[in-house]
Structures are given as C-alpha cells and as structure tokens.
Amino acid sequence: DAYRLEDDFQVRIDWYPYGIEIESVYGAVEQRTEREWRKVRYLYMDIRRLANKRGLTVKGTRKIYDPTLASLGMLYAKSLGVLRQYHDTLLSKFWTHEGEIDRSEHIEAALVAAGATAEGFRAFSSGEGPAQLRSVREAANAQGVFGVPTFIFRGELFCGTDRIAWLRDRL
C-alpha cells in the first residue's frame, strides 16, 4: 500500500526505520497476561490477512528480535538509493523464516542482493550509522511517532496500515 501511494499520487515517501519496544507494548513473554497474548495473536492474524491479500507468506516470529542491524541496513540502503530492494529482500526472507533481522550475515546478504556492498555496510554500522540511527529515532519521537508504519503528511500522523485510506484522502 505504501509503495502504491508513491505511484498513485506522484509523491516520494521518505523512509526511516523505527523500532518498537515489543515488551513495553505486549509485555515480557514470560509475564504476559491472557489479554496480552490475545493482542499478540490478533496482531499476527491481521498481519496474515494483509499478507494473504497480497499473495505473501508470513510465519510468526521465533523470538523477539532487536531491529538495530536491520535499521542500520535500511539507513545504509537508503543512502545508496537501494532501499526498496533491500527492504523487500530482507523482509520476504524474515517472514518466511529464511533470514533474521538481527544477524549481520542476513543483513549483508539483503544489501548485496540490492546492489550494495557488505564492506560498505560494515564501515557504516561501525562508524556513523549508530549516531544517525539515534538521530532518526529522536526525530521520530519528537514528532509523536509511537508505532509502525507511521506516515506524516503536513504534520499529521497516520499510524497503521488501516490508516492509509485516510492518508490517501488527504493526498
């Protein structure tokens, strides 16, 4: 849906990573209440509905992942103009359990498939990348971002794929 916004309205989405602290939203795995487990199951049901509508496969995650490496990969891919290729490659492998977003070799493989270099990513992730990622997260928080996906159009937030229709109305 986000990709179609660019095509349908001749706009450019300026993509940024935003990690959610899963445990603060859905509770620690070992301490989740039945209500929190219902929320988690419902979230995956919604994700599968969206995936099925697009002919995609989504399997539930095997653990709670730290998205930092994937986010650094996103910033690096964005700087090279290969963000969409990276994003699509990494996430298609993640949701089918063929790749993990917290393993450098999987991030590097997605970047190489997108046309970037593993060496360049290593330099970025051990150099300017972490500071850039902190800056992106601070800016998002300052704008009121609290979840993903969030779109900001003329200062108005639209959070969640179910709000894309409202964003389309604004565009």
Side-chain angles (χ1 to χ4, degrees):
D1 288 340
Y3 293 152
R4 281 192 298 225
L5 289 172
E6 292 183 318
D7 297 335
D8 293 349
F9 295 97
Q10 289 74 51
V11 296
R12 186 180 69 81
I13 295 176
D14 195 6
W15 297 83
Y16 291 97
Y18 186 79
I20 298 173
E21 294 177 16
I22 298 293
E23 289 188 357
S24 70
V25 178
Y26 298 105
V29 173
E30 312 80 34
Q31 299 169 348
R32 284 184 186 156
T33 65
E34 178 52 35
R35 181 177 184 275
E36 289 166 332
W37 277 113
R38 284 194 309 265
K39 287 172 26 180
V40 168
R41 286 190 295 272
Y42 185 84
L43 174 65
Y44 277 107
M45 185 171 59
D46 270 357
I47 290 169
R48 286 188 182 100
R49 285 179 189 152
L50 289 168
N52 290 337
K53 186 176 179 180
R54 292 167 177 78
L56 302 172
T57 300
V58 170
K59 297 179 179 179
T61 61
R62 294 179 269 198
K63 65 179 188 177
I64 295 176
Y65 291 87
D66 177 351
T68 302
L69 275 178
S71 297
L72 289 168
M74 185 176 179
L75 290 175
Y76 181 65
K78 181 180 174 181
S79 75
L80 299 175
V82 296
L83 174 65
R84 186 170 178 174
Q85 299 91 322
Y86 163 76
H87 186 264
D88 291 352
T89 299
L90 181 65
L91 292 184
S92 68
K93 291 191 178 300
F94 174 72
W95 288 114
T96 58
H97 293 178
E98 298 171 28
E100 296 186 342
I101 62 168
D102 59 357
R103 294 189 55 185
S104 58
E105 63 269 25
H106 295 175
I107 302 303
E108 291 173 7
L111 286 163
V112 169
T117 66
E119 297 79 14
F121 172 67
R122 285 184 210 121
F124 178 79
S125 64
S126 65
E128 68 195 59
Q132 195 177 104
L133 183 58
R134 274 191 303 282
S135 176
V136 163
R137 288 181 177 162
E138 289 168 4
N141 289 332
Q143 293 177 79
V145 174
F146 60 89
V148 295
T150 295
F151 301 88
I152 302 172
F153 178 66
R154 295 184 178 156
E156 187 175 2
L157 271 65
F158 298 85
C159 184
T161 55
D162 55 334
R163 303 308 193 277
I164 291 177
W166 293 351
L167 175 56
R168 293 180 76 80
D169 288 344
R170 292 290 194 280
L171 289 168

